[in-house]
Structures are given as C-alpha cells and as structure tokens.
Amino acid sequence: MNKEARENYNQSFSEEKYQQMIAEIEAEFPGQLDFRVAESPIFVPNDLKIKILSACNSIIDKIKSPDFKEKTERAIPKSHFVPNETDHPSVLAIDFGITLDENGHLSPQLIELQGFPSLFGYQSYLSSKYKKHFSVSPKFSEYFNRMNGRTYQEEMKNFLLGNSKPENVILLEIFPEKQKTRLDFAITKAYWGIEAVCITKIFEENSQLFYLKEGNKTKIERIYNRLIFDDLDRNYSDIKLNIDLSKPYDVTWISHPNWFYRVSKYSLPLFKSPYIPFSKYLSDFEEYPTDLENYVLKPLFSFAGAGVNIDIQKEDLETIKDPENYILQQKVKYEPCITDTKGEGIKCEIRMLYIWPENAKNPKLVTNLARLSKGKMIGVDFNKDFDWVGGSGAFFETN
C-alpha cells in the first residue's frame, strides 16, 4: 500500500529467504505450524490508518453505550450463558477488508468483529521474523500506542496474568494440541508461561476450578479463553465435562464467554460508520433488496464462516424458517492493493487487536493480524494453489 516500503521489501525478498524464515519457525516450535504463512506483511499508510482507527472508535463507542447489553441479550444462547459476566469484553478483534472508495482511495470496510482473543502471541513473533529476514522500514510498526516488542511483551504479561502466578492462569481450549492455532498456544507459553489446558482436564471443588500440572492439583484463577462453545457443540458433542459452566465459579475470564456472542455478527447491524457496510437482520426486512448479488447472507450463530452464502437467490431467503437468526450484509469488494514480486495483485484483511483490562475505561489497541488472498474469498479453501497468501501481519506508518 505504501509504495516505497513495498518496493524496498520486494527487492529484499527471495524464495530462499522465505524458506529460511519458515524453517526457523519450524525449528523453534517443531510441529506447531499448521497453516500457511504469507510471504509478505502489509504496509499501511497514515491516511488508511486514520480511517481504520475512526471505524474502530465508532464501534467501541457503541459497545460502551448503556443499551448495548440490552440489545445483544438475545445473542447469547441460553445453553451457553455463563454467570458473572464482566462490564465489557477483555479483548476486541475487529476485521476490515481493504477496498476502494468512490474517489478511488483505499478504504477499510468492516467484515466481522469478536469479543474474543486472537493470536496475540504469534502475531508479535511473526512480525519479528519479517523484520529479521527482510527489509521492513523503521517508519512502520506492528504495534500501537508507542509500544515496541519489549513493552508489548510486558503489557500483555500484566494483562493476562494480573496478580496471579503463571501456573494459576490457563489458556482454555478443547484438545489444544490438535488445533491449527497451536503455534500461538506454544508461543503464549514461551512468552508468558501460560499453559494450554483442555477443558476435559479441568475439575471443580467448592466453586473453584483446578487442573493437574505435572501431577499436582493446581488452582485456576484466570482463564485465557480460546474455547469456542459452538466448536465444542458441533465437533465434540459426545464429550463429557467435569465442570458445569452455568455455575458461578471463582475465576476471572479473559474474555468472559458471553462477550463472544455479544460482539459478533449479531451486533453488526448496531454499528454505523462510513467504513461499516449496511447490514440488517433478515427478519426486519419488509421487502428484500432487488440487488441481492450485492449482499452476503450470514447466519448469526455459526462458527468459522459456516453457512455464509455469497451468491444469494431470493428463494434462499424465502425458505429460511428463522429469519431472526440471519443478517444480510452488503458485500465488500476487496481491492488487490498489494503487489508481489511477479506484479500480481493481492487482497487483504486486517484485524485490529485490543486489550481491555478489568478496570480500564477504554480498550487499548496493541497490535494486529492480517490475511492475504488471491482467491474469491479470504480463507484457506479459496487460496490452495497460490503463493503470497495466508496469515500475515500489518506494519502501520508511525509518522
């Protein structure tokens, strides 16, 4: 996106260096890398950065509004309601597709958002690898709020651990050793000493939660929650747990599970900004749009893009028996805004990552995640035969 930074990076790039970077990751965390790493980061200029931050601020203002919880109450399935909900999510992940506006300028458009953790460990790690192996301009940074690699590590340590010891904080998942994001789990342990623990290994005593660490019963004081209950229901419905999450356990959640549902596709129609495409609950339409080719149909209660329809026919909408559980969202036309060494255009998404400590008035933007694509959509299934695609990070202009 920034021409000078892009040209410098591409000139420094070689396939040999890229393979060396991947080999280094594999050597440091053997067997943990289970997704494609893109050959390049993104270089975001100041004008685009300002637009992204404006969109994020409008979203945060709405989440902070007194009526947000009331308007998102139905988002939480009764079967997954967890007691002792916090006043706000502990984290925010806000995804933007990069497009062109009516004047031909780069513009962000909101795709999705989550009150749920993302790859806070891996993204810092990956950005350091790009800087080590290729030319990344010092005028650009992967961090925000004047942070650098060292201060980011310290900020995240304080945020995740609070006043607890690392052994009393766990990263919660279902069979973490099998998850595609397990590299992030390994980095989280290396950086902050937090163990990834399967939910099947947790047990309760007198409203407190425990797990076995090296054979010793260890109290859990804080849960860095990476478990998506939809995934548990869909793929592990036959598993019996030793705990009942409908009980008010003496534990601090990061982030509380209810916020996964509140800040989600369900809340998209509540946000208004030039950088947020129109969306509306399907049940609120008196007449469906005649230009359905310009819309995406999304189920509110689905995981990892399941059930999304990008080629809608009117008949598809008329056969839906629960329209209150779907939204129509205007399509976002991604702009191939990055050029690889062969001159081919690449589309991208950028995810802004915030932390929101318990007593903080506002969330704090700390870093980001990016994904590159040459396919019809962002995602592995649409990019199997391409290079310069996959997981990446963005470096934002700092002056």
Side-chain angles (χ1 to χ4, degrees):
M1 297 178 193
N2 178 279
K3 184 178 180 181
E4 181 181 359
R6 169 54 52 201
E7 289 178 350
N8 287 339
Y9 184 90
N10 284 13
Q11 287 172 6
S12 75
F13 179 84
S14 71
E15 180 64 24
E16 181 181 8
K17 289 182 181 179
Y18 170 71
Q19 293 301 333
Q20 288 173 351
M21 182 180 79
I22 299 302
E24 187 171 280
I25 296 172
E26 291 280 10
E28 292 174 354
F29 294 96
Q32 302 302 306
L33 181 59
D34 196 16
F35 50 83
R36 194 179 197 284
V37 178
E39 282 82 342
S40 173
I42 302 166
F43 297 99
V44 181
N46 265 329
D47 56 346
L48 180 58
K49 174 182 176 180
I50 290 169
K51 295 173 184 176
I52 292 173
L53 295 181
S54 172
C56 289
N57 288 338
S58 68
I59 290 167
I60 291 166
D61 286 345
K62 184 61 182 178
I63 293 172
K64 290 172 58 180
S65 66
D67 63 348
F68 185 79
K69 276 195 172 184
E70 178 185 349
K71 290 186 175 181
T72 57
E73 202 66 26
R74 194 177 69 85
I76 308 169
K78 292 181 180 179
S79 59
H80 289 326
F81 182 87
V82 176
N84 297 332
E85 183 178 328
T86 51
D87 291 334
H88 54 72
S90 302
V91 295
L92 289 172
I94 307 176
D95 293 3
F96 296 95
I98 305 305
T99 70
L100 287 183
D101 63 19
E102 63 274 11
N103 298 314
H105 300 141
L106 290 177
S107 177
Q109 287 291 303
L110 180 69
I111 302 299
E112 286 192 358
L113 72 170
Q114 299 173 323
F116 187 77
S118 194
L119 308 180
F120 283 99
Y122 170 74
Q123 287 307 133
S124 173
Y125 174 80
L126 176 63
S127 294
S128 71
K129 294 304 180 187
Y130 283 132
K131 289 189 288 189
K132 176 180 179 180
H133 290 271
F134 307 106
S135 176
V136 174
S137 169
K139 297 179 181 180
F140 290 77
S141 176
E142 67 272 39
Y143 303 112
F144 302 91
N145 289 297
R146 299 182 179 180
M147 280 189 285
N148 55 37
R150 180 185 59 80
T151 56
Y152 174 81
Q153 295 286 341
E154 192 66 25
E155 184 98 27
M156 289 301 301
K157 177 182 178 181
N158 293 337
F159 169 69
L160 292 170
L161 298 184
N163 295 320
S164 297
K165 296 178 180 179
E167 59 264 31
N168 300 120
V169 183
I170 66 163
L171 186 158
L172 181 65
E173 248 291 11
I174 177 71
F175 302 129
E177 70 280 2
K178 298 180 180 179
Q179 300 298 327
K180 285 188 174 295
T181 50
R182 64 184 180 272
L183 174 56
D184 180 67
F185 305 163
I187 293 171
T188 297
K189 182 178 180 181
Y191 284 176
W192 304 303
I194 300 173
E195 194 86 40
V197 178
C198 182
I199 191 171
T200 62
K201 304 297 184 181
I202 295 174
F203 55 96
E204 63 171 297
E205 290 183 9
N206 301 319
S207 298
Q208 295 183 332
L209 298 179
F210 298 86
Y211 74 110
L212 294 179
K213 182 175 177 63
E214 299 176 354
N216 299 314
K217 186 174 78 171
T218 305
K219 183 183 177 183
I220 300 170
E221 297 174 359
R222 297 168 69 84
I223 296 177
Y224 181 32
N225 183 40
R226 302 292 290 272
L227 174 65
I228 297 175
F229 294 140
D230 294 32
D231 184 30
L232 193 64
D233 288 347
R234 180 176 288 106
N235 298 313
Y236 307 97
S237 59
D238 57 338
I239 288 179
K240 293 184 179 180
L241 304 181
N242 302 311
I243 60 174
D244 178 359
L245 291 175
S246 66
K247 293 183 178 180
Y249 294 115
D250 180 21
V251 69
T252 297
W253 291 89
I254 312 165
S255 192
H256 191 282
N258 292 355
W259 284 103
F260 171 79
Y261 298 102
R262 292 190 186 278
V263 182
S264 66
K265 292 189 292 292
Y266 188 93
S267 54
L268 285 175
L270 304 180
F271 304 116
K272 307 298 177 186
S273 163
Y275 310 118
I276 299 177
F278 170 84
S279 61
K280 189 174 182 178
Y281 302 115
L282 192 61
S283 56
D284 288 351
F285 283 93
E286 293 183 5
E287 292 184 5
Y288 296 133
T290 56
D291 59 335
L292 288 174
E293 68 276 9
N294 294 320
Y295 288 83
V296 177
L297 177 68
K298 294 182 176 182
L300 295 177
F301 306 106
S302 69
F303 165 62
V308 173
N309 185 345
I310 62 173
D311 297 307
I312 312 166
Q313 303 298 319
K314 188 177 180 182
E315 296 75 24
D316 298 331
L317 306 181
E318 292 173 341
T319 57
I320 292 176
K321 297 179 180 179
D322 54 344
E324 70 278 5
N325 292 330
Y326 288 79
I327 61 168
L328 275 182
Q329 182 181 24
Q330 278 188 320
K331 279 183 179 177
V332 173
K333 184 179 179 181
Y334 291 77
E335 175 66 17
C337 53
I338 301 169
T339 305
D340 67 15
T341 53
K342 295 177 287 188
E344 295 180 352
I346 306 165
K347 295 171 283 190
C348 71
E349 279 184 4
I350 299 174
R351 174 177 293 177
M352 307 297 278
L353 298 178
Y354 289 78
I355 61 173
W356 201 338
E358 285 105 296
N359 298 318
K361 183 178 179 181
N362 296 299
K364 184 174 184 177
L365 179 60
V366 290
T367 190
N368 73 87
L369 174 155
R371 291 181 290 181
L372 306 187
S373 172
K374 292 181 180 178
K376 187 176 181 181
M377 291 179 64
I378 302 283
V380 175
D381 291 343
F382 299 93
N383 288 277
K384 291 179 179 178
D385 300 321
F386 299 117
D387 59 5
W388 284 63
V389 298
S392 181
F395 290 89
F396 284 71
E397 192 171 3
T398 57
N399 51 35

